[in-house]
Amino acid sequence: MTKAITVSGLHKSFGRTHALDGLDLDVETGEVHGFLGPNGAGKSTTIRVLLGLLRADSGAAQVLGRDPWADAVDLHRRVAYVPGDVTLWRNLSGGEVIDLYGRLHDGGRAKRVRQGGGGRRAGGLDRERRAKLIERFELDPTKKGRTYSKGNRQKVALVAAFASDVDLLILDEPTSGLDPLMEEVFQTCVEEERDRGRTVLLSSHILSEVEELCDRVSIIRKGRTVESGSLADLRHLTRTSVTAELAGPPNGLSHLPGVHDLDVQGLRVRLQVDTDKLDAVLRSLSESGVRSLTSTPPTLEELFLRHYQDEESASEGAKGAAGAPGAEGAEGAMVR
Amino acid sequence: MSAASATSAYAPRTGGSRQLAGSGTLLRFALRRDRVMLPVWIAVNALMVLSMPNTLKGLYGTAAERADLIRQMETNASLRALIGPVFGDSLGALTAWRAGIYAGALAAVMSLIVVVRHTRDEEESGRQEMVSSGAVGRRAPLTAALLAAAVANGVLALLLVGGLAGQGGAGALALGLGIAGVGMVFATMAAIIAQLTESARLARGLTAAVLGAAFVLRAAGDSAKDDGSSVLTWLSPLGWLENLRAFADERWWVLLLFAAAILLQGAVAYELAGRRDVGMSFLPTRPGPANGRLSTAGALAWRLQRGSVLGWSIGFFLTGVVYGGLTEGAADLVGDNANAREIFERMGGQSGLTNAFLAAMIGMLGLIAALYIVSSVLRLNGEETSGRAEPVLANAVGRLRWAAGHLVVAFGGTALIMLLAGLGFAIGYGKEFGPILGACLVQLPAVWVIGGVAVLLHGLLPRAAVAAWAVAGAVLLIGWIGPALNVPQAVLDVSPFGHLPKLPGGEMEWGPVLLLTAIAAALVAGGLGALRRRDLTT
């Protein structure tokens, strides 16, 4: 399988700030790739480098097999982009902006296509698809830029991106400002894109969205990739919470490798276990006899929180933050 | 506390002082934001007025010269339309005549900018929402904006009264109050218009159009009557200013007109501000087309700038017609005063007086066109820093193509407005079409050099690109005031306009024209080269 995006050792500084500090990213063709990281981690900077808007200080980046800086224009014919904060021209209507982006995409090619017959495609956009998207997103395309709310500005950019005929969609926190219904429409659209064989790079803060949509994710922090792989891979590296009611007193659980936060109250046991050590724990539990058992795989949120916290405050913060499974020693487990 | 806020939530709309809550904080905030802009506006205006007695002393030193001037003004309708009638022969009265309405107009522009900036601009950008969510009354932003304008006009008045006191305390007071009064009339006018439109740009444009109309009314009235008594003059706040007759038996009651207009307009603006929703306006925005026809970055640039090109075109054409029509009369007057003649000849650069006047006026329009080109080129900068350029450039649009769209409008638009100015001059003057058009077009290379500097700044230092305004301002100052102040040639030579052939009347010299064009091209090329290589500012 070819790669849609390959980035290795990317560095970018703004004055004294190191926005990117050796970032790596691999996106396979045809996958939906989640791009996660706290505010200021360098997600938008990476995306701007991938779009040739910023020039990396060092490191290599290829998008669809091309250099994003040198081949920007040709590359952009095959890429659609939705920024996280869409600014529109105050006196242009949403419909005008959608069509403008569509036509700019082709760099005038659409005209030739249209004149050469077909007629279905006009102005660089699939008209049918454009109309359908406007309907699905419940967007009023006649309103002027300055009268749209944030969510509606976002819809303008989303309709333009989804209606264009491209190979790669780069979406930078595209659903900020969308209501839950629209969020669902967005997810359907992304799934459709995947079904059509397109690649999507989705930078997001909404973890349920990422869990729902993404085949693989990359988590970055302070300009560096800290984790990358499929959700299953990532879960494997983390802990599962286990709550069990036993028939007899538990035995030797605390000596098992990979067990954390063990809490035994009579016959009730709660613990966290490194997912790859789960087997031994279950065996030990069943020796005592199991009456009931709940096992919860780690949520992406927990994965995420683990990487959000600074090393020094890791243990402290993890306990406080949304009951994330104890992160003591997490760094050991998480080191790549 | 909670009881109090609960009451205020249900208080009637017109209710009490809570409508003004937070005004003081907002005023301090406004003055802090304008801490550079306002002092510059005030200083330029005050310097222009305060330098006038000295300049006039040089021009009309003797009583005979002044008597001559007054006689001329009585008979010369063109010049009265341009500057207004003279009411006395003291240096103070001449200062009020020569500088008064222009200082008033400058104060008006400053005031309308300040008021729109702190009202409609804030709402349009969405910043107002956050401010209004605090303990801020519905009318507080307007109050703060008007107070900021009042502070600015007040300081200007103080400087003028202090600086001109030597010419006579009463006259200085009248002129200072009159100029500040014009400022506040347009501050309150802008306050009303800012309630009506949703766009700050439109609010500024409309208020400026009212100011233009006030100028035209006064000019028409003054050309009809030599003592400012025409009804047309009385319809214009600028006419009130001249009818105050500072330094010439002041008519203090005219100040009541200012006070009445300010209070009336202020009351209307307050009434409107208290009745409408934040961010909304009384003139609703019309919906646009559901489908767009824009298909290139160039078309987008034209669409974004066409309104401004149209406005400048109309302005330049009308100015050309008016000044062209005044040419013969104005030259007559200047002809009788050796000193004034010398200044015109230095500005215009040759001895035929009509030609010298035409050349000076056309040169002035060229300087003003430099402001157009800077504002137009800096649209690039605005598009980039606002984040609107980013998605455009994420499409199949190269940076050069994107920039070229705006630059064609900027550089081509300059050619268009100078051509229209030339047509206007030729129509107003009624003869010599060819030479006048040529004289207008020959300004272009110098204007383009200023545009080139703006392009270069945008390419190299996008965050400092507004410095292009300073360049245009300096060139304007050199060209406008330089000749009257006997500035050394070395300083005049800094401006590209100093190197243009003196047309009409002078010899056409291709050397400097081609050289300036080449410099402009090099600056643009350098700027575009830098733009291609640098990061997009975000």
Side-chain angles (χ1 to χ4, degrees), chain A residues 25 36 48 50 138 176 182 219 221 260 273 290 315 331:
Chain A
L25 178 66
L36 309 177
R48 289 191 179 120
L50 294 178
E138 294 171 20
S176 51
M182 290 305 132
I219 300 178
R221 214 188 88 204
H260 308 269
V273 56
V290 179
S315 53
E331 290 306 318

Side-chain angles (χ1 to χ4, degrees), chain A:
Chain A
M1 206 181 215
T2 50
K3 305 237 190 252
I5 298 175
T6 50
V7 169
S8 62
L10 210 57
H11 285 262
K12 177 73 192 175
S13 302
F14 301 106
R16 266 189 235 155
T17 325
H18 296 281
L20 299 182
D21 189 14
L23 183 121
D24 303 312
L25 178 66
D26 279 300
V27 178
E28 309 279 346
T29 301
E31 75 174 356
V32 179
H33 193 101
F35 194 39
L36 309 177
N39 294 328
K43 296 189 299 294
S44 294
T45 305
T46 309
I47 285 174
R48 289 191 179 120
V49 170
L50 294 178
L51 288 167
L53 300 172
L54 301 180
R55 186 182 221 167
D57 296 337
S58 67
Q62 281 216 322
V63 179
L64 301 175
R66 286 164 177 263
D67 178 338
W69 178 265
D71 301 331
V73 172
D74 284 340
L75 182 59
H76 291 170
R77 291 187 211 286
R78 301 170 58 198
V79 178
Y81 166 57
V82 175
D85 194 359
V86 178
T87 342
L88 299 176
W89 296 272
R90 45 188 128 201
N91 54 354
L92 295 188
S93 72
E96 281 183 290
V97 174
I98 291 171
D99 288 340
L100 171 71
Y101 284 160
R103 295 199 175 101
L104 290 179
H105 231 104
D106 284 77
R109 277 184 193 175
K111 249 180 218 159
R112 269 170 274 144
V113 171
R114 188 171 39 178
Q115 282 158 1
R120 198 174 63 85
R121 281 170 49 81
L125 292 177
D126 183 330
R127 302 306 294 184
E128 256 171 58
R129 198 164 156 70
R130 175 191 189 273
K132 211 192 270 174
L133 283 164
I134 284 178
E135 197 187 311
R136 278 159 85 182
F137 277 110
E138 294 171 20
L139 177 73
D140 177 357
T142 63
K143 282 176 76 172
K144 296 275 177 76
R146 60 169 170 265
T147 58
Y148 281 120
S149 66
K150 173 164 171 50
N152 281 320
R153 288 201 303 270
Q154 211 69 34
K155 289 180 194 171
V156 169
L158 284 170
V159 170
F162 285 132
S164 54
D165 184 16
V166 293
D167 299 323
L168 171 66
L169 287 132
I170 297 183
L171 313 176
D172 190 0
E173 297 184 18
T175 55
S176 51
L178 291 191
D179 63 45
L181 282 178
M182 290 305 132
E183 165 81 37
E184 213 167 291
V185 174
F186 166 77
Q187 294 195 7
T188 320
C189 287
V190 172
E191 275 155 12
E192 283 173 16
E193 294 299 313
R194 179 181 27 209
D195 295 345
R196 293 158 88 190
R198 292 174 186 170
T199 312
V200 179
L201 178 65
L202 172 65
S203 142
S204 178
H205 264 138
I206 302 169
L207 300 167
S208 59
E209 169 182 295
V210 174
E211 259 180 323
E212 188 83 18
L213 292 174
C214 295
D215 305 302
R216 294 199 313 138
V217 300
S218 293
I219 300 178
I220 70 167
R221 214 188 88 204
K222 291 186 177 169
R224 213 181 281 220
T225 314
V226 288
E227 205 69 70
S228 190
S230 70
L231 279 174
D233 290 344
L234 296 191
R235 287 209 171 106
H236 193 66
L237 287 172
T238 58
R239 296 175 194 161
T240 303
S241 322
V242 176
T243 312
E245 222 161 301
L246 302 178
N251 201 351
L253 273 177
S254 54
H255 300 298
L256 287 176
V259 170
H260 308 269
D261 294 351
L262 180 63
D263 176 23
V264 181
Q265 299 201 336
L267 298 178
R268 228 182 125 78
V269 175
R270 295 155 71 94
L271 59 82
Q272 307 268 332
V273 56
D274 294 345
T275 305
D276 53 345
K277 303 284 193 319
L278 189 58
D279 196 34
V281 170
L282 287 181
R283 232 174 295 143
S284 164
L285 287 174
S286 61
E287 273 169 23
S288 311
V290 179
R291 289 235 174 99
S292 82
L293 178 81
T294 350
S295 135
T296 323
T299 59
L300 186 58
E301 197 161 339
E302 284 156 4
L303 279 176
F304 207 42
L305 283 170
R306 187 160 299 186
H307 292 293
Y308 269 30
Q309 274 125 23
D310 285 321
E311 283 90 345
E312 57 266 37
S313 65
S315 53
E316 236 179 323
K319 272 184 192 159
E328 296 102 312
E331 290 306 318
M334 298 320 316
V335 163
R336 292 195 312 132

